[in-house]
Amino acid sequence: MILVAGGTGYLGKVVVERLVGVGERVRVLSRREAASRDGVEIATGDVRDPDAVARAMVGVRVVVSAVHGFVEDPRGIDHDGNANLVAAARAAGVEHFVLLSVHGASADHPIEMFRMKHLAEQNLVASSLAWTIIRPTAFMEMWLTMVGAPLLKNGSTTIFGRGKNPINFVSVHDVARHVELAVTDPTLRGRIIEAGGPENISFCDFVATFEKVTGTSGKHRHVPLPMMRVMSWIMRGLKPSLGRQIRAGVVMDTEDLTFDIATPTRVPMTALADAIRRDYAAHA
């Protein structure tokens, strides 16, 4: 049995599909009740609840943690939640733990979730568990939904900041393939796998690629960077989740979020244009 925590998100759903597709039995730990399906059990519970995590761990051979609290609660989910998963996995005698971290995770990163992922990595490595850590770049499917799909629906989109900073985007399908390999190939234990896409591309070019492939166009609104800096500071105390989102927008417009596309990989990297054709076929 493989336990997938965070199995209902952008990445988690694809991970579950891939693992079931290769014949694995999967249990999804989810805060929301959901119907089980062939090859998939649902364990309802929150990773911040040690008792719920312990119950979900019964009979589990491998844990895949795809949780993230980017907006809601980075410390509670990415740090404490992963700590609960690691502790329960050790107590249950789990064979292998696969942690989905993030490219660029570090102790001093300006985005809180990246700092919490770094702490989660350290905690896992220090445990007695066999482990694999996968560090993906930004999920292109999530950003296609946020800045591409509105062009089709509303004829306009919003770009936070100048939109000129190169960023690497990876397909969740490619990351899920990395997870499948980590689960099925024992030689990947004790390894940190960097997972990126084949292009470092600005948000302006990201949107332009979407328009070219889908044959659409629309208005591009930009939120000025100085305004974002001020709002992230104001919202930090009033509405922390919104403050974190705005702060992340500042970082994505100013920091180095590129990826060395020459990094050796066993998984072919999906280009942005190909992901658009796949997911927006009716418009491509």
Side-chain angles (χ1 to χ4, degrees), residues 142-178:
M142 182 181 75
W143 286 101
L144 283 170
T145 299
M146 293 179 67
V147 302
L151 285 165
L152 298 174
K153 183 178 180 180
N154 306 317
S156 65
T157 190
T158 300
I159 296 173
F160 293 92
R162 300 159 298 182
K164 300 294 185 181
N165 194 43
I167 300 168
N168 191 270
F169 298 91
V170 65
S171 171
V172 293
H173 294 270
D174 298 348
V175 181
R177 174 60 176 148
H178 281 292

mmCIF file of all heavy atoms in Angstrom, residues 142-178:
data_model
loop_
_atom_site.group_PDB
_atom_site.id
_atom_site.type_symbol
_atom_site.label_atom_id
_atom_site.label_comp_id
_atom_site.label_asym_id
_atom_site.label_seq_id
_atom_site.Cartn_x
_atom_site.Cartn_y
_atom_site.Cartn_z
ATOM 1 N N MET A 142 -0.742 24.733 -13.184
ATOM 2 C CA MET A 142 -1.355 25.676 -12.252
ATOM 3 C C MET A 142 -1.336 27.082 -12.837
ATOM 4 O O MET A 142 -2.343 27.807 -12.787
ATOM 5 C CB MET A 142 -0.611 25.662 -10.917
ATOM 6 C CG MET A 142 -1.219 26.588 -9.869
ATOM 7 S SD MET A 142 -0.317 26.572 -8.312
ATOM 8 C CE MET A 142 1.124 27.554 -8.756
ATOM 9 N N TRP A 143 -0.190 27.469 -13.418
ATOM 10 C CA TRP A 143 -0.083 28.820 -13.954
ATOM 11 C C TRP A 143 -0.848 28.979 -15.268
ATOM 12 O O TRP A 143 -1.317 30.077 -15.582
ATOM 13 C CB TRP A 143 1.382 29.218 -14.088
ATOM 14 C CG TRP A 143 1.964 29.497 -12.743
ATOM 15 C CD1 TRP A 143 2.760 28.689 -11.988
ATOM 16 C CD2 TRP A 143 1.701 30.656 -11.939
ATOM 17 N NE1 TRP A 143 3.031 29.275 -10.781
ATOM 18 C CE2 TRP A 143 2.401 30.487 -10.720
ATOM 19 C CE3 TRP A 143 0.961 31.827 -12.137
ATOM 20 C CZ2 TRP A 143 2.376 31.446 -9.714
ATOM 21 C CZ3 TRP A 143 0.946 32.780 -11.127
ATOM 22 C CH2 TRP A 143 1.636 32.586 -9.932
ATOM 23 N N LEU A 144 -1.025 27.902 -16.014
ATOM 24 C CA LEU A 144 -1.901 27.976 -17.191
ATOM 25 C C LEU A 144 -3.328 28.280 -16.758
ATOM 26 O O LEU A 144 -4.038 29.049 -17.416
ATOM 27 C CB LEU A 144 -1.851 26.667 -17.982
ATOM 28 C CG LEU A 144 -0.606 26.457 -18.844
ATOM 29 C CD1 LEU A 144 -0.554 25.033 -19.378
ATOM 30 C CD2 LEU A 144 -0.570 27.463 -19.999
ATOM 31 N N THR A 145 -3.749 27.676 -15.657
ATOM 32 C CA THR A 145 -5.089 27.952 -15.133
ATOM 33 C C THR A 145 -5.205 29.398 -14.672
ATOM 34 O O THR A 145 -6.241 30.049 -14.876
ATOM 35 C CB THR A 145 -5.393 27.009 -13.955
ATOM 36 O OG1 THR A 145 -5.355 25.659 -14.420
ATOM 37 C CG2 THR A 145 -6.769 27.299 -13.368
ATOM 38 N N MET A 146 -4.131 29.928 -14.078
ATOM 39 C CA MET A 146 -4.199 31.258 -13.479
ATOM 40 C C MET A 146 -4.041 32.392 -14.487
ATOM 41 O O MET A 146 -4.712 33.413 -14.381
ATOM 42 C CB MET A 146 -3.137 31.381 -12.383
ATOM 43 C CG MET A 146 -3.393 30.480 -11.185
ATOM 44 S SD MET A 146 -2.121 30.608 -9.907
ATOM 45 C CE MET A 146 -2.376 32.280 -9.345
ATOM 46 N N VAL A 147 -3.139 32.218 -15.475
ATOM 47 C CA VAL A 147 -2.893 33.339 -16.396
ATOM 48 C C VAL A 147 -3.251 33.031 -17.841
ATOM 49 O O VAL A 147 -3.347 33.946 -18.663
ATOM 50 C CB VAL A 147 -1.421 33.821 -16.325
ATOM 51 C CG1 VAL A 147 -1.053 34.242 -14.922
ATOM 52 C CG2 VAL A 147 -0.456 32.757 -16.844
ATOM 53 N N GLY A 148 -3.476 31.765 -18.165
ATOM 54 C CA GLY A 148 -3.845 31.413 -19.530
ATOM 55 C C GLY A 148 -5.338 31.289 -19.718
ATOM 56 O O GLY A 148 -5.931 31.946 -20.579
ATOM 57 N N ALA A 149 -5.959 30.454 -18.899
ATOM 58 C CA ALA A 149 -7.395 30.207 -19.030
ATOM 59 C C ALA A 149 -8.247 31.474 -18.984
ATOM 60 O O ALA A 149 -9.256 31.561 -19.709
ATOM 61 C CB ALA A 149 -7.853 29.219 -17.955
ATOM 62 N N PRO A 150 -7.909 32.496 -18.174
ATOM 63 C CA PRO A 150 -8.729 33.717 -18.177
ATOM 64 C C PRO A 150 -8.796 34.408 -19.545
ATOM 65 O O PRO A 150 -9.779 35.092 -19.843
ATOM 66 C CB PRO A 150 -8.032 34.608 -17.141
ATOM 67 C CG PRO A 150 -7.381 33.653 -16.207
ATOM 68 C CD PRO A 150 -6.903 32.528 -17.076
ATOM 69 N N LEU A 151 -7.772 34.217 -20.370
ATOM 70 C CA LEU A 151 -7.827 34.792 -21.715
ATOM 71 C C LEU A 151 -8.946 34.170 -22.532
ATOM 72 O O LEU A 151 -9.620 34.852 -23.314
ATOM 73 C CB LEU A 151 -6.487 34.588 -22.428
ATOM 74 C CG LEU A 151 -5.352 35.499 -21.981
ATOM 75 C CD1 LEU A 151 -4.017 34.959 -22.496
ATOM 76 C CD2 LEU A 151 -5.570 36.925 -22.482
ATOM 77 N N LEU A 152 -9.157 32.886 -22.344
ATOM 78 C CA LEU A 152 -10.230 32.200 -23.065
ATOM 79 C C LEU A 152 -11.603 32.547 -22.483
ATOM 80 O O LEU A 152 -12.576 32.688 -23.217
ATOM 81 C CB LEU A 152 -10.024 30.689 -23.012
ATOM 82 C CG LEU A 152 -8.746 30.148 -23.657
ATOM 83 C CD1 LEU A 152 -8.622 28.651 -23.403
ATOM 84 C CD2 LEU A 152 -8.739 30.437 -25.157
ATOM 85 N N LYS A 153 -11.647 32.678 -21.163
ATOM 86 C CA LYS A 153 -12.923 32.909 -20.494
ATOM 87 C C LYS A 153 -13.354 34.364 -20.526
ATOM 88 O O LYS A 153 -14.527 34.678 -20.798
ATOM 89 C CB LYS A 153 -12.835 32.430 -19.046
ATOM 90 C CG LYS A 153 -14.141 32.555 -18.279
ATOM 91 C CD LYS A 153 -13.992 32.012 -16.864
ATOM 92 C CE LYS A 153 -15.297 32.134 -16.085
ATOM 93 N NZ LYS A 153 -15.163 31.615 -14.697
ATOM 94 N N ASN A 154 -12.389 35.264 -20.263
ATOM 95 C CA ASN A 154 -12.739 36.683 -20.085
ATOM 96 C C ASN A 154 -12.112 37.615 -21.102
ATOM 97 O O ASN A 154 -12.426 38.812 -21.122
ATOM 98 C CB ASN A 154 -12.310 37.145 -18.683
ATOM 99 C CG ASN A 154 -12.873 36.271 -17.584
ATOM 100 O OD1 ASN A 154 -14.034 35.893 -17.627
ATOM 101 N ND2 ASN A 154 -12.043 35.937 -16.603
ATOM 102 N N GLY A 155 -11.191 37.098 -21.915
ATOM 103 C CA GLY A 155 -10.506 37.963 -22.874
ATOM 104 C C GLY A 155 -9.457 38.846 -22.254
ATOM 105 O O GLY A 155 -9.004 39.818 -22.877
ATOM 106 N N SER A 156 -9.028 38.518 -21.027
ATOM 107 C CA SER A 156 -7.987 39.303 -20.353
ATOM 108 C C SER A 156 -7.302 38.446 -19.309
ATOM 109 O O SER A 156 -7.834 37.412 -18.879
ATOM 110 C CB SER A 156 -8.588 40.547 -19.693
ATOM 111 O OG SER A 156 -9.473 40.167 -18.645
ATOM 112 N N THR A 157 -6.115 38.870 -18.910
ATOM 113 C CA THR A 157 -5.390 38.161 -17.862
ATOM 114 C C THR A 157 -4.584 39.167 -17.058
ATOM 115 O O THR A 157 -4.348 40.298 -17.503
ATOM 116 C CB THR A 157 -4.463 37.081 -18.454
ATOM 117 O OG1 THR A 157 -3.957 36.255 -17.403
ATOM 118 C CG2 THR A 157 -3.285 37.691 -19.214
ATOM 119 N N THR A 158 -4.162 38.743 -15.873
ATOM 120 C CA THR A 158 -3.397 39.605 -14.983
ATOM 121 C C THR A 158 -2.011 39.034 -14.776
ATOM 122 O O THR A 158 -1.855 37.851 -14.444
ATOM 123 C CB THR A 158 -4.097 39.748 -13.620
ATOM 124 O OG1 THR A 158 -5.395 40.321 -13.817
ATOM 125 C CG2 THR A 158 -3.292 40.636 -12.688
ATOM 126 N N ILE A 159 -1.009 39.863 -14.981
ATOM 127 C CA ILE A 159 0.384 39.493 -14.747
ATOM 128 C C ILE A 159 0.877 40.292 -13.549
ATOM 129 O O ILE A 159 0.774 41.513 -13.526
ATOM 130 C CB ILE A 159 1.255 39.792 -15.974
ATOM 131 C CG1 ILE A 159 0.793 38.924 -17.166
ATOM 132 C CG2 ILE A 159 2.730 39.546 -15.674
ATOM 133 C CD1 ILE A 159 1.476 39.269 -18.475
ATOM 134 N N PHE A 160 1.391 39.594 -12.566
ATOM 135 C CA PHE A 160 1.855 40.263 -11.353
ATOM 136 C C PHE A 160 3.283 40.744 -11.555
ATOM 137 O O PHE A 160 4.200 39.948 -11.749
ATOM 138 C CB PHE A 160 1.745 39.326 -10.159
ATOM 139 C CG PHE A 160 0.323 38.993 -9.810
ATOM 140 C CD1 PHE A 160 -0.298 37.868 -10.344
ATOM 141 C CD2 PHE A 160 -0.403 39.832 -8.994
ATOM 142 C CE1 PHE A 160 -1.619 37.583 -10.038
ATOM 143 C CE2 PHE A 160 -1.721 39.559 -8.684
ATOM 144 C CZ PHE A 160 -2.329 38.429 -9.220
ATOM 145 N N GLY A 161 3.458 42.059 -11.532
ATOM 146 C CA GLY A 161 4.760 42.657 -11.748
ATOM 147 C C GLY A 161 5.012 42.925 -13.222
ATOM 148 O O GLY A 161 4.097 42.969 -14.046
ATOM 149 N N ARG A 162 6.286 43.060 -13.548
ATOM 150 C CA ARG A 162 6.662 43.384 -14.923
ATOM 151 C C ARG A 162 6.496 42.210 -15.866
ATOM 152 O O ARG A 162 6.280 42.373 -17.065
ATOM 153 C CB ARG A 162 8.123 43.865 -14.936
ATOM 154 C CG ARG A 162 8.366 45.113 -14.085
ATOM 155 C CD ARG A 162 9.839 45.246 -13.719
ATOM 156 N NE ARG A 162 10.284 44.110 -12.907
ATOM 157 C CZ ARG A 162 11.508 43.982 -12.405
ATOM 158 N NH1 ARG A 162 12.410 44.923 -12.663
ATOM 159 N NH2 ARG A 162 11.842 42.943 -11.677
ATOM 160 N N GLY A 163 6.646 40.989 -15.314
ATOM 161 C CA GLY A 163 6.497 39.797 -16.136
ATOM 162 C C GLY A 163 7.675 39.525 -17.040
ATOM 163 O O GLY A 163 7.540 38.814 -18.036
ATOM 164 N N LYS A 164 8.844 40.060 -16.711
ATOM 165 C CA LYS A 164 10.026 39.905 -17.561
ATOM 166 C C LYS A 164 11.065 38.942 -16.977
ATOM 167 O O LYS A 164 12.046 38.618 -17.637
ATOM 168 C CB LYS A 164 10.688 41.271 -17.779
ATOM 169 C CG LYS A 164 9.793 42.309 -18.442
ATOM 170 C CD LYS A 164 9.441 41.930 -19.865
ATOM 171 C CE LYS A 164 8.649 43.033 -20.567
ATOM 172 N NZ LYS A 164 8.281 42.650 -21.959
ATOM 173 N N ASN A 165 10.857 38.506 -15.757
ATOM 174 C CA ASN A 165 11.846 37.675 -15.076
ATOM 175 C C ASN A 165 11.753 36.224 -15.541
ATOM 176 O O ASN A 165 10.673 35.627 -15.509
ATOM 177 C CB ASN A 165 11.602 37.736 -13.556
ATOM 178 C CG ASN A 165 12.752 37.185 -12.760
ATOM 179 O OD1 ASN A 165 13.907 37.456 -13.062
ATOM 180 N ND2 ASN A 165 12.440 36.403 -11.719
ATOM 181 N N PRO A 166 12.867 35.609 -15.994
ATOM 182 C CA PRO A 166 12.806 34.211 -16.432
ATOM 183 C C PRO A 166 12.502 33.264 -15.270
ATOM 184 O O PRO A 166 13.082 33.372 -14.186
ATOM 185 C CB PRO A 166 14.209 33.944 -16.999
ATOM 186 C CG PRO A 166 14.788 35.292 -17.250
ATOM 187 C CD PRO A 166 14.205 36.199 -16.214
ATOM 188 N N ILE A 167 11.576 32.342 -15.511
ATOM 189 C CA ILE A 167 11.133 31.367 -14.506
ATOM 190 C C ILE A 167 11.071 30.009 -15.184
ATOM 191 O O ILE A 167 10.746 29.910 -16.369
ATOM 192 C CB ILE A 167 9.738 31.733 -13.950
ATOM 193 C CG1 ILE A 167 9.777 33.115 -13.285
ATOM 194 C CG2 ILE A 167 9.234 30.682 -12.965
ATOM 195 C CD1 ILE A 167 8.391 33.671 -12.982
ATOM 196 N N ASN A 168 11.371 28.961 -14.454
ATOM 197 C CA ASN A 168 11.217 27.616 -15.011
ATOM 198 C C ASN A 168 9.888 27.015 -14.576
ATOM 199 O O ASN A 168 9.494 27.117 -13.415
ATOM 200 C CB ASN A 168 12.363 26.709 -14.569
ATOM 201 C CG ASN A 168 12.363 25.397 -15.337
ATOM 202 O OD1 ASN A 168 11.746 24.423 -14.914
ATOM 203 N ND2 ASN A 168 13.044 25.387 -16.474
ATOM 204 N N PHE A 169 9.205 26.400 -15.527
ATOM 205 C CA PHE A 169 7.927 25.737 -15.273
ATOM 206 C C PHE A 169 8.044 24.275 -15.687
ATOM 207 O O PHE A 169 8.586 23.967 -16.752
ATOM 208 C CB PHE A 169 6.799 26.409 -16.065
ATOM 209 C CG PHE A 169 6.565 27.844 -15.711
ATOM 210 C CD1 PHE A 169 7.227 28.859 -16.389
ATOM 211 C CD2 PHE A 169 5.688 28.189 -14.696
ATOM 212 C CE1 PHE A 169 7.020 30.193 -16.075
ATOM 213 C CE2 PHE A 169 5.469 29.520 -14.357
ATOM 214 C CZ PHE A 169 6.146 30.522 -15.048
ATOM 215 N N VAL A 170 7.519 23.396 -14.854
ATOM 216 C CA VAL A 170 7.562 21.958 -15.131
ATOM 217 C C VAL A 170 6.139 21.414 -15.147
ATOM 218 O O VAL A 170 5.269 21.875 -14.406
ATOM 219 C CB VAL A 170 8.417 21.220 -14.073
ATOM 220 C CG1 VAL A 170 7.776 21.299 -12.692
ATOM 221 C CG2 VAL A 170 8.654 19.769 -14.475
ATOM 222 N N SER A 171 5.902 20.429 -16.006
ATOM 223 C CA SER A 171 4.580 19.802 -16.048
ATOM 224 C C SER A 171 4.413 18.848 -14.867
ATOM 225 O O SER A 171 5.325 18.080 -14.537
ATOM 226 C CB SER A 171 4.406 19.019 -17.352
ATOM 227 O OG SER A 171 3.220 18.248 -17.313
ATOM 228 N N VAL A 172 3.239 18.866 -14.254
ATOM 229 C CA VAL A 172 2.982 17.936 -13.152
ATOM 230 C C VAL A 172 3.049 16.489 -13.631
ATOM 231 O O VAL A 172 3.344 15.582 -12.849
ATOM 232 C CB VAL A 172 1.620 18.211 -12.477
ATOM 233 C CG1 VAL A 172 1.614 19.554 -11.768
ATOM 234 C CG2 VAL A 172 0.467 18.101 -13.455
ATOM 235 N N HIS A 173 2.792 16.261 -14.906
ATOM 236 C CA HIS A 173 2.884 14.901 -15.449
ATOM 237 C C HIS A 173 4.333 14.411 -15.412
ATOM 238 O O HIS A 173 4.590 13.229 -15.142
ATOM 239 C CB HIS A 173 2.330 14.866 -16.869
ATOM 240 C CG HIS A 173 0.863 15.141 -16.935
ATOM 241 N ND1 HIS A 173 -0.092 14.144 -16.847
ATOM 242 C CD2 HIS A 173 0.176 16.314 -17.058
ATOM 243 C CE1 HIS A 173 -1.307 14.689 -16.918
ATOM 244 N NE2 HIS A 173 -1.164 15.993 -17.046
ATOM 245 N N ASP A 174 5.280 15.298 -15.687
ATOM 246 C CA ASP A 174 6.692 14.927 -15.608
ATOM 247 C C ASP A 174 7.103 14.678 -14.162
ATOM 248 O O ASP A 174 7.849 13.732 -13.868
ATOM 249 C CB ASP A 174 7.565 16.037 -16.207
ATOM 250 C CG ASP A 174 7.286 16.268 -17.685
ATOM 251 O OD1 ASP A 174 6.584 15.442 -18.309
ATOM 252 O OD2 ASP A 174 7.755 17.286 -18.216
ATOM 253 N N VAL A 175 6.632 15.527 -13.251
ATOM 254 C CA VAL A 175 6.966 15.330 -11.831
ATOM 255 C C VAL A 175 6.377 14.014 -11.327
ATOM 256 O O VAL A 175 7.026 13.263 -10.589
ATOM 257 C CB VAL A 175 6.463 16.511 -10.983
ATOM 258 C CG1 VAL A 175 6.833 16.307 -9.514
ATOM 259 C CG2 VAL A 175 7.031 17.828 -11.488
ATOM 260 N N ALA A 176 5.153 13.697 -11.744
ATOM 261 C CA ALA A 176 4.529 12.438 -11.339
ATOM 262 C C ALA A 176 5.322 11.239 -11.845
ATOM 263 O O ALA A 176 5.418 10.206 -11.171
ATOM 264 C CB ALA A 176 3.095 12.376 -11.844
ATOM 265 N N ARG A 177 5.897 11.370 -13.022
ATOM 266 C CA ARG A 177 6.754 10.294 -13.552
ATOM 267 C C ARG A 177 7.997 10.140 -12.676
ATOM 268 O O ARG A 177 8.435 9.017 -12.409
ATOM 269 C CB ARG A 177 7.131 10.610 -15.000
ATOM 270 C CG ARG A 177 8.142 9.649 -15.624
ATOM 271 C CD ARG A 177 7.650 8.219 -15.668
ATOM 272 N NE ARG A 177 8.608 7.360 -16.350
ATOM 273 C CZ ARG A 177 8.816 6.077 -16.069
ATOM 274 N NH1 ARG A 177 8.108 5.484 -15.109
ATOM 275 N NH2 ARG A 177 9.703 5.368 -16.744
ATOM 276 N N HIS A 178 8.564 11.252 -12.204
ATOM 277 C CA HIS A 178 9.689 11.172 -11.269
ATOM 278 C C HIS A 178 9.273 10.441 -9.997
ATOM 279 O O HIS A 178 10.051 9.642 -9.451
ATOM 280 C CB HIS A 178 10.195 12.573 -10.917
ATOM 281 C CG HIS A 178 11.074 13.197 -11.946
ATOM 282 N ND1 HIS A 178 12.335 12.720 -12.232
ATOM 283 C CD2 HIS A 178 10.886 14.284 -12.753
ATOM 284 C CE1 HIS A 178 12.887 13.477 -13.175
ATOM 285 N NE2 HIS A 178 12.033 14.431 -13.505
#
